Amino acid sequence: MIALNTVYRHKFSFTQDDVILFAKVSGDNNPLHLDAEFAATTQFKRPIIHGALASSIFSKIMGTEFPGYGSVYLKQVSEYKRPMFVDTDYEAVFTVINIDEAKHIADIKCEIMDVATGKKTTDGLATIMNKDHF
C-alpha cells in the first residue's frame, strides 16, 4: 500500500520527433510547436512543447509505475507555469496528498521541474483510483 506523503520522481525529456508525433495524434499543429522560424517571432524565441504532451508524463507514470497498473484516472488539473522545450531534462514529482482507503482513491500532486534551473514548469493535481495500492 502507498502511504500519505509518499513521493515518486521520474526524469524525462521529449524530442522534436515526440512533438511531431503528438501534433499528428492530437491534431494540434500550431506552428508555435512545429515551426522554428515562426516560434522565433514569439516571446519564447523557439518552439515549445504542447502542454498536453508535457502532462502526458503524468498519465504514463501513474498508469505504469506509480501507483502503476490498474490505475484509473478520475481527474487531472494542470497549470502550465513556464514553457517546456525539446531535448531538455525535466523531472516529474508526484506526492500523495490525500487517500480515501474505503474508495481506493488518492489525490496526487503532480509537478514538473526543469532539472537545470530548478524552476517549476507545470503544476497539477490528479485523482487516481487503484484498488491494489490505496
Side-chain angles (χ1 to χ4, degrees):
M1 299 301 273
I2 294 174
L4 192 63
N5 298 318
T6 299
V7 176
Y8 185 85
R9 297 174 179 274
H10 175 80
K11 290 188 178 176
F12 69 98
S13 65
F14 290 110
T15 66
Q16 188 62 33
D17 285 343
D18 294 329
V19 173
I20 292 166
L21 287 171
F22 186 82
K24 287 180 183 177
V25 170
S26 69
D28 180 354
N29 61 359
N30 182 336
L32 183 57
H33 306 301
L34 303 168
D35 183 336
E37 287 182 28
F38 174 83
T41 68
T42 72
Q43 64 190 19
F44 305 114
K45 304 300 180 204
R46 57 187 170 142
I48 63 172
I49 291 172
H50 301 78
L53 174 58
S55 293
S56 73
I57 198 70
F58 300 148
S59 180
K60 173 193 173 193
I61 297 305
M62 287 189 272
T64 63
E65 297 178 26
F66 178 81
Y69 296 116
S71 293
V72 176
Y73 241 113
L74 301 177
K75 181 179 179 180
Q76 175 72 52
V77 177
S78 295
E79 179 181 354
Y80 306 107
K81 298 183 162 292
R82 288 184 174 75
M84 291 176 64
F85 304 98
V86 299
D87 302 323
T88 301
D89 293 327
Y90 296 100
E91 183 175 46
V93 181
F94 303 84
T95 306
V96 178
I97 61 170
N98 186 50
I99 298 174
D100 182 335
E101 292 179 11
K103 294 182 180 179
H104 307 287
I105 293 174
D107 292 323
I108 301 175
K109 183 177 180 180
C110 308
E111 302 169 289
I112 298 175
M113 311 297 282
D114 182 312
V115 171
T117 66
K119 293 181 178 179
K120 187 185 298 185
T121 64
T122 307
D123 208 0
L125 179 66
T127 303
I128 301 293
M129 181 172 55
N130 189 306
K131 66 181 178 86
D132 296 327
H133 297 289
F134 304 121

